[in-house]
């Protein structure tokens, strides 16, 4: 079932981007220890189907020695390793190569670099320097570029001709639900009858954060692996029995809101509708909707 484990090494980040669906910032709390990273890798081995380990954040290179050790441990266990970063340390071409060379030597299989106006405005951004350095070092590399949301006057799949389609690539959850939706067209929440972004019944990827929460989707917890082993949580997971995933599978965000009596106005899309409904339910399902900080709540 699960082929990828994404380790959220920290929620802290050098940036505080409007489109961040985890509400990361320089003030965000939460960072893993080396022992906790090993515990995640131990459990990933027990699951038996995991092929990839990704290190993400926040910004994982804020804790560079821990990142290196995590990559080394994962590679020693035979996992393919990916990293998602804004490459803030690549302040020159020389520094970019200095930063990436140890990762190349460890055999990182995927490097995804955030390089857009939310992160950098200049042409020679740290991410651009890191991209070029990764190419020189032979690291498979790609960029993630999110634009400010805009309305496209074009039909999309499942849309009537002429219906508004939101472009730009942002996902309207986390901080993006609060900062990027104000001027966008809304639809009645009752129209959002399916989750279109995550495989909730048989998830192929899971995110584990510094607090132990195992995210099926960011902010939707399968359980806490510091309290119960990750391999057990995966083996015992049933979407229909989960108080959040069950309604989402059955009838999407609309049913989630209706089942628990959440009143919503119009929403931009499925993610926006789901996020608003979940945030309204934080106090009702604290174990399943966690941590609160990814909802912009303390």
């Amino acid at each position: 079932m699960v082929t990828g484990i994404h380790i959220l090494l920290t929620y802290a980040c050098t940036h505080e981007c409007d489109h961040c669906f985890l509400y990361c910032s320089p003030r965000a709390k939460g960072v893993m220890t080396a022992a906790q990273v090993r515990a995640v890798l131990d459990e990933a081995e027990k699951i038996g189907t995991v092929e990839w380990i990704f290190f993400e954040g926040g910004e994982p290179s804020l804790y560079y020695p821990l990142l290196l050790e995590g990559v080394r441990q994962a590679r020693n266990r035979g996992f393919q390793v990916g990293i998602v970063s804004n490459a803030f340390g690549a302040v020159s071409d020389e520094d970019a190569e200095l930063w990436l060379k140890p990762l190349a030597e460890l055999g990182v299989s995927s490097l995804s670099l955030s390089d857009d106006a939310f992160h950098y405005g200049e042409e020679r951004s740290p991410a651009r320097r890191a991209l070029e350095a990764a190419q020189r070092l032979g690291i498979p590399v790609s960029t993630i570029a999110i634009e400010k949301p805009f309305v496209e006057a074009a039909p999309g799949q499942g849309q009537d001709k002429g219906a508004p389609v939101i472009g730009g690539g942002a996902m309207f959850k986390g901080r993006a639900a609060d900062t990027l939706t104000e001027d966008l067209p809304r639809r009645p929440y009752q129209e959002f009858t399916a989750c279109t972004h995550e495989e909730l019944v048989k998830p192929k990827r899971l995110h584990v954060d510094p607090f132990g929460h195992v995210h099926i989707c960011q902010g939707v917890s399968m359980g806490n692996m510091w309290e119960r082993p990750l391999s057990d949580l995966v083996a015992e997971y049933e979407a229909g029995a989960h108080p959040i995933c069950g309604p989402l599978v059955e009838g999407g965000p609309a049913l989630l809101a209706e089942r628990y009596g959440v009143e919503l106005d119009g929403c931009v899309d499925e993610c926006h509708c789901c996020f608003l409904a979940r945030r309204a339910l934080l106090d009702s399902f604290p174990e399943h909707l966690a941590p609160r900080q990814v909802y912009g709540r303390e």
Side-chain angles (χ1 to χ4, degrees):
M1 183 173 72
V2 178
T3 59
I5 299 293
H6 295 239
I7 297 176
L8 302 179
L9 209 60
T10 179
Y11 280 112
C13 188
T14 55
H15 291 64
E16 194 168 357
C17 298
D18 284 346
H19 74 302
C20 181
F21 46 74
L22 287 172
Y23 251 103
C24 298
S25 78
R27 300 174 302 283
K29 300 175 181 178
V31 59
M32 281 196 181
T33 65
Q36 288 171 333
V37 172
R38 287 195 298 272
V40 176
L41 296 176
D42 287 342
E43 288 298 305
E45 286 187 301
K46 290 180 184 178
I47 291 170
T49 58
V50 176
E51 300 171 355
W52 280 87
I53 300 293
F54 283 85
F55 291 91
E56 305 178 4
E59 176 48 51
S61 67
L62 278 170
Y63 298 91
Y64 191 71
L66 178 61
L67 174 63
L68 285 182
E69 180 59 20
V71 172
R72 183 179 295 108
Q73 290 269 344
R75 293 294 295 131
N76 287 345
R77 296 165 192 254
F79 294 115
Q80 296 187 76
V81 173
I83 296 171
V84 180
S85 172
N86 65 31
F88 76 97
V91 294
S92 71
D93 292 343
E94 180 182 7
D95 286 277
E97 200 155 321
L98 183 67
W99 176 63
L100 289 175
K101 187 175 181 181
L103 297 173
E105 293 171 348
L106 288 171
V108 167
S109 300
S110 173
L111 176 64
S112 298
L113 299 169
S114 298
D115 185 18
D116 53 37
F118 287 108
H119 291 86
Y120 306 109
E122 67 270 26
E123 183 176 342
R124 290 293 297 167
S125 68
R128 194 65 51 84
R129 295 189 193 98
L131 173 68
E132 295 170 359
Q135 291 169 337
R136 292 193 297 271
L137 292 166
I139 301 175
V141 62
S142 61
T143 57
I144 303 171
I146 305 297
E147 300 177 54
K148 184 176 179 179
F150 58 91
V151 178
E152 294 180 332
Q157 186 175 2
Q159 300 267 359
D160 294 331
K161 185 175 182 179
V165 176
I166 308 302
M171 302 187 74
F172 300 110
K173 52 186 176 179
R175 190 180 290 116
D178 295 325
T179 60
L180 297 181
T181 59
E182 182 177 356
D183 298 324
L184 298 178
R186 312 262 178 143
R187 294 156 56 193
Y189 81 90
Q190 293 89 346
E191 294 185 13
F192 301 112
T193 58
C195 172
T196 57
H197 293 287
E198 296 289 346
E199 178 48 72
L200 301 176
V201 176
K202 294 182 179 180
K204 294 183 179 180
R205 63 172 186 174
L206 296 170
H207 292 72
V208 181
D209 76 9
F211 306 114
H213 303 299
V214 181
H215 302 246
I216 307 162
C217 174
Q218 289 86 352
V220 180
S221 179
M222 180 183 287
N224 192 306
M225 74 162 291
W226 304 154
E227 300 171 2
R228 185 165 179 77
L230 175 62
S231 54
D232 289 351
L233 292 173
V234 170
E236 297 167 5
Y237 170 72
E238 293 182 15
H242 192 282
I244 305 302
C245 294
L248 288 174
V249 170
E250 186 179 345
L255 182 59
L256 178 65
E258 291 169 0
R259 179 159 297 177
Y260 297 117
V262 177
E263 296 184 6
L264 295 175
D265 295 324
C267 303
V268 173
D269 64 4
E270 291 83 359
C271 269
H272 187 222
C273 182
C274 182
F275 179 80
L276 294 180
R278 287 189 277 124
R279 184 156 66 182
L281 294 169
L282 282 177
D283 293 335
S284 300
F285 300 101
E287 296 181 2
H288 299 94
L289 298 172
R292 292 177 67 89
Q293 68 184 43
V294 308
Y295 292 93
R297 300 290 187 264
E298 295 297 331

